[in-house]
Amino acid sequence: FQDYTNAGAPKFDARNTICYPDTDLVAKNYIDLEAGLNQDVSVNVVTAPDLLACLKLVYKGEVTATFYDAPVLQAAIATHFLKTGKCGFKGGYCSEWATSASDCHCNIPEPGCNASAQACELVLDPACNRTLTPTDEALMMVGQLFNP
């Protein structure tokens, strides 16, 4: 946490931004306390409706970090990012967030193709408006754990 509040910390960067759920008063109070102890540094914070929204912001590179209880973070990363192909070897996210990276494609069999008689070429479905944004990003837990 000192990388966000202590200008003398090895990885301090004034652009670092922390996201926390806006309903988490413990996180807000902790950030306020740290900001009060380090008044020479402006702590950049963003609030989001919930932990998953904060993780999405971190994943998309819009904020630097979030913090929460370690088991809850691990479960959220596993369920909403690793299992849906958003993190890992070929990470990316679909314009329809709930759609996994592997299901985001808009390919359909070529019209008029008899799939039972032959292998069909795949073509883009003109009615599909989903897009996959590839990324090499990953989510990981580092540093001190904040356990309210």
Side-chain angles (χ1 to χ4, degrees), residues 6 32 72 103 132 138:
N6 181 346
D32 289 347
V72 177
D103 292 335
L132 179 68

Side-chain angles (χ1 to χ4, degrees), residues 6 75 113 144:
N6 181 346
C113 178
Q144 296 173 326

Side-chain angles (χ1 to χ4, degrees), residues 35-60:
L37 294 173
N38 298 281
Q39 294 183 2
D40 59 327
V41 173
S42 176
V43 179
N44 303 312
V45 295
V46 171
T47 60
D50 54 34
L51 176 61
L52 183 56
C54 279
L55 286 171
K56 286 179 190 178
L57 291 174
V58 173
Y59 182 73
K60 292 180 175 184

